[in-house]
Amino acid sequence: MKIIAAGDLHGHTTQAKQLVEAVEREGADKVILLGDMLYQGVYGKITEDFSGPDTKDILNSLADKIIAVRGNCDAEVHQEFLHYPMMADIGVLVEGTRAIYFTHGHLYNQHSLPAMAEGDVLLQGHTHIPAWVCTDGRYVFNPGSMAADKEGNIKGYLLIEDGKTFIWKTMEGEEYHREELK
């Protein structure tokens, strides 16, 4: 299975369109959204590239593939406009013998792990900074932000193949880091 994990879109329309392109380009079966998708809401268009109504429509076009969690900037009112659930604080998928937990990062993160077994992975967003950390055999991976990068980091996403290969990519699809797990 191919999964794209991405977060921290914050209502940016151009990057939402790039996410759709990435899903098509990668042949992704699922998309894990790590929160902070709309940010400013769904009612108005602030600029051409910062439009809640347009961004929600773009995300809703992927609704059948999306598994999402709530970010600290997501409001309960956003849920009524999105065609996929997004109010949980944490989710989990099982790939073979590995559990892949996913969360925004403001509640669970590399400093506050959920109960995880050795070899499990926690995907988190929130910091807007790509990261790959292993502590005591537990992995914490952050794809960074799709739109609002910090410290000059790359805007991008994480491609997961069969729960073993984790590939960090730019929004344009260029690979810049890879982790192969056993």
Side-chain angles (χ1 to χ4, degrees):
M1 179 176 345
K2 284 188 175 184
I3 301 167
I4 286 180
D8 297 290
L9 181 61
H10 290 285
H12 287 269
T13 309
T14 299
Q15 283 77 11
K17 291 175 185 173
Q18 287 181 317
L19 175 63
V20 172
E21 292 168 6
V23 169
E24 292 169 0
R25 178 177 57 246
E26 304 290 359
D29 301 296
K30 293 290 178 191
V31 177
I32 296 174
L33 295 180
L34 300 171
D36 286 358
M37 294 297 103
L38 298 175
Y39 192 56
Q40 87 288 359
V42 295
Y43 299 108
K45 184 178 216 171
I46 297 171
T47 66
E48 281 301 311
D49 195 44
F50 200 61
S51 169
D54 294 339
T55 302
K56 72 144 173 83
D57 290 343
I58 294 164
L59 292 175
N60 282 336
S61 76
L62 296 172
D64 62 331
K65 292 182 182 276
I66 291 178
I67 305 168
V69 291
R70 173 184 67 88
N72 62 306
C73 294
D74 292 321
E76 192 170 316
V77 70
H78 296 157
Q79 182 62 81
E80 68 183 87
F81 296 96
L82 296 171
H83 301 162
Y84 52 87
M86 52 74 75
M87 291 307 296
D89 290 322
I90 192 165
V92 64
L93 293 175
V94 177
E95 281 283 321
T97 60
R98 171 172 288 120
I100 300 174
Y101 296 86
F102 51 98
T103 190
H104 180 60
H106 64 296
L107 300 174
Y108 299 101
N109 53 58
Q110 75 181 65
H111 305 293
S112 179
L113 294 174
M116 295 169 57
E118 189 172 327
D120 287 351
V121 174
L122 175 67
L123 304 176
Q124 71 155 92
H126 187 55
T127 66
H128 298 214
I129 300 170
W132 38 89
V133 177
C134 181
T135 305
D136 298 325
R138 290 151 183 86
Y139 300 92
V140 180
F141 295 154
N142 188 329
S145 172
M146 284 187 278
D149 63 320
K150 287 186 180 176
E151 301 175 5
N153 285 292
I154 296 167
K155 295 176 185 174
Y157 60 92
L158 179 60
L159 178 65
I160 305 164
E161 296 178 343
D162 298 320
K164 296 179 182 178
T165 303
F166 294 76
I167 307 164
W168 282 256
K169 293 191 170 194
T170 66
M171 290 308 293
E172 294 77 24
E174 295 178 38
E175 180 179 333
Y176 67 93
H177 185 78
R178 177 183 291 250
E179 293 283 326
E180 298 281 348
L181 307 184
K182 296 179 184 179

